Amino acid sequence: MSARSHTRRELGAPKDSASVEIQLPWWAIALPAIAFAALLLLILNPADAHAASGDPVVTHLLERVQETFFGATS
């Protein structure tokens, strides 16, 4: 059983820089647009944004990383 080989497209030099055609898959446009819309909705309604309660985990993590790399500080 032989495998089908891919045919190469000959890429000629474009006559004009405006004549270059770029083909993007659908998700290359849709995903950034969806992410932008979601972030925009979060910004437009800041009343729904609540501060996290409890220990600030990120702060503790950064302190541990600082202690690990720069030594313990008193």
Side-chain angles (χ1 to χ4, degrees):
M1 181 182 212
S2 62
R4 179 182 290 178
S5 63
H6 295 285
T7 58
R8 294 181 112 176
R9 287 189 274 162
E10 293 297 324
L11 299 175
K15 297 177 186 175
D16 181 50
S17 63
S19 67
V20 176
E21 182 180 337
I22 299 174
Q23 296 178 352
L24 294 174
W26 66 269
W27 51 264
I29 300 295
L31 291 180
I34 291 170
F36 176 77
L39 291 174
L40 185 62
L41 288 174
L42 288 174
I43 291 171
L44 290 178
N45 196 2
D48 291 339
H50 301 288
S53 61
D55 293 335
V57 177
V58 176
T59 304
H60 289 296
L61 177 66
L62 291 175
E63 287 174 356
R64 298 289 181 183
V65 170
Q66 184 180 9
E67 288 175 4
T68 301
F69 288 113
F70 300 113
T73 58
S74 305

